[in-house]
Amino acid sequence: MATLSDVEIKKLLHEPSSVTMRPSYEGGNINTAIGFKCDNYLLEAAVLDHFRAVGLGATELYLTHGVNFDVVGVDTRLHTVLTLDDDVRIEVVPKTKDTDREMVFATAAYVERDGETKKAVSSKLRVLLRRDPAIPDAQPLPAELERFVVDRFATAEPTELAATEVDDFAGAFHRGENSDTDPVLAEIIGDSNAVGWKWKVPYYYCHFTERMQMSGYLRQMEEAKHLFVASRGISIKRLLDERGWIPVVTSNKIQFTDETVMEENLYTVYTVESIFKDMLYTSRMDFYVVRDGKLVKTATGSITHGYCHKETPESEWQMAVFDDEVLRALRGE
């Protein structure tokens, strides 16, 4: 039996913690601002640090207890832009109810601006511990944690699929067919205001040798925006060069509904659902695999985008108003 004390279990499940980190340099894609993907990375790292503080880091959970630590849901709001050299204080507050089957953590990231502390990012993260048969003699976790240990993150109900999947990658891992040429994507998208593509999931999007991890879905969510606007003639670079419009995200969320396995063909679909006051638009993100000739949704979520114009890295951003060209592109007109 694991040797966590009652005090350590209470700290993990009921008491807040905090840690100060800096954003990954990877996230400084435009000026020194950090994008939503790396904001979420920070929050995930803070929750993992919350586990490490009681002796249950990812390595200990895996090698000793035979479980995989995974974030299986995020629901994030972005309030203030983080930059590359910010010291970001992240608070992690356990919010798990007695009836919950997932561990729930409210997180908030704070940064100093002009002598004041500002909330930059807030999110609710959901965590599960998945049994891993690769560790045959695993030690049991404390009884208080057993309700969060699962054999599978989720199991979606397969839906009928008229199209026949064409596995045309021939072992390659590049981005593959789109809805113009792939029959499965064409059926999923239909006449909706969406773009999609098929690709084979590489190992570096996965955790624990087998399954796609949360950061993999976040990377897909980021790529979807890039591919969508490029397909509509308003690419990121064009609007940056011609108008100085910087793409921003105000919120995003993802929830696992099944599991995606390494080297499966994953169908990623980005659907514009609403445009708000000609300044923000929200898109749904759905992820699918085909198993036994049926369609299985492995994750779903949404992301809200807008544009800002920023004169210097230190100035405050102001939202840009979409003009007719951008509105037509977003609507697919």
Side-chain angles (χ1 to χ4, degrees):
M1 176 66 69
T3 58
L4 262 69
S5 67
D6 290 343
V7 171
E8 289 169 324
I9 293 172
K10 182 181 178 182
K11 284 179 63 177
L12 179 68
L13 295 180
H14 302 290
E15 294 184 3
S17 66
S18 67
V19 62
T20 298
M21 300 179 176
R22 283 182 174 171
S24 166
Y25 193 49
E26 175 197 349
N29 306 126
I30 298 175
N31 297 343
T32 63
I34 297 299
F36 82 98
K37 177 187 67 179
C38 288
D39 287 343
N40 280 287
Y41 288 2
L42 274 176
L43 303 181
E44 180 184 60
V47 173
L48 188 54
D49 188 79
H50 183 81
F51 276 73
R52 288 195 187 104
V54 299
L56 287 180
T59 303
E60 176 72 12
L61 286 168
Y62 178 61
L63 294 179
T64 302
H65 303 291
V67 296
N68 308 156
F69 171 97
D70 267 285
V71 173
V72 298
V74 298
D75 190 347
T76 303
R77 300 289 182 273
L78 292 91
H79 311 286
T80 296
V81 176
L82 293 176
T83 61
L84 285 173
D85 294 316
D86 281 333
D87 290 314
V88 185
R89 178 172 56 85
I90 306 160
E91 295 182 353
V92 177
V93 181
K95 292 290 185 179
T96 308
K97 299 176 183 177
D98 292 341
T99 56
D100 286 339
R101 307 298 294 181
E102 300 171 333
M103 283 179 274
V104 182
F105 298 93
T107 60
Y110 297 91
V111 66
E112 294 298 316
R113 290 284 184 269
D114 299 323
E116 297 182 2
T117 300
K118 290 191 175 183
K119 182 184 289 187
V121 189
S122 58
S123 184
K124 184 174 288 185
L125 279 70
R126 298 181 179 274
V127 172
L128 282 174
L129 306 174
R130 191 190 191 281
R131 289 187 184 89
D132 196 319
I135 308 297
D137 299 316
Q139 298 178 20
L141 284 161
E144 293 90 338
L145 302 182
E146 280 299 321
R147 65 185 165 116
F148 309 116
V149 179
V150 297
D151 293 318
R152 189 178 182 88
F153 293 140
T155 305
E157 186 68 28
T159 59
E160 294 298 327
L161 184 65
T164 300
E165 184 177 34
V166 178
D167 191 354
D168 50 3
F169 283 109
F173 291 88
H174 60 276
R175 298 296 182 266
E177 301 298 314
N178 60 33
S179 57
D180 293 331
T181 56
D182 185 86
V184 172
L185 277 171
E187 182 172 337
I188 295 171
I189 292 174
D191 60 359
S192 61
N193 183 16
V195 297
W197 70 96
K198 178 177 69 175
W199 64 296
K200 193 178 289 289
V201 178
Y203 81 91
Y204 45 85
Y205 275 60
C206 297
H207 263 165
F208 302 103
T209 324
E210 187 176 7
R211 289 168 302 279
M212 187 159 158
Q213 59 177 290
M214 176 57 73
S215 69
Y217 290 106
L218 289 167
R219 289 160 76 177
Q220 281 284 282
M221 183 170 269
E222 182 179 55
E223 184 165 5
K225 160 64 179 259
H226 171 76
L227 294 177
F228 170 74
V229 293
S231 73
R232 299 292 174 91
I234 52 169
S235 75
I236 301 292
K237 181 169 175 53
R238 182 192 161 199
L239 294 193
L240 280 169
D241 289 347
E242 294 182 2
R243 310 182 192 190
W245 284 14
I246 299 171
V248 294
V249 172
T250 61
S251 65
N252 79 280
K253 60 183 177 181
I254 300 174
Q255 180 69 39
F256 289 8
T257 54
D258 206 288
E259 297 181 348
T260 300
V261 177
M262 184 189 301
E263 298 191 10
E264 280 193 301
N265 292 338
L266 185 67
Y267 297 84
T268 300
V269 178
Y270 177 98
T271 307
V272 177
E273 292 197 309
S274 63
I275 299 172
F276 180 70
K277 292 186 176 180
D278 294 350
M279 296 175 69
L280 295 168
Y281 69 100
T282 297
S283 301
R284 191 180 74 251
M285 289 285 298
D286 296 308
F287 305 88
Y288 303 89
V289 297
V290 176
R291 295 182 183 136
D292 299 322
K294 294 185 177 181
L295 198 64
V296 179
K297 183 183 289 187
T298 59
T300 189
S302 65
I303 185 165
T304 299
H305 282 286
Y307 292 96
C308 287
H309 188 83
K310 186 181 180 187
E311 295 296 334
T312 69
E314 291 76 26
S315 66
E316 289 296 325
W317 287 7
Q318 291 186 338
M319 298 297 295
V321 177
F322 303 150
D323 59 21
D324 287 342
E325 181 189 14
V326 170
L327 285 170
R328 290 195 302 271
L330 297 179
R331 293 169 180 155
E333 296 173 352

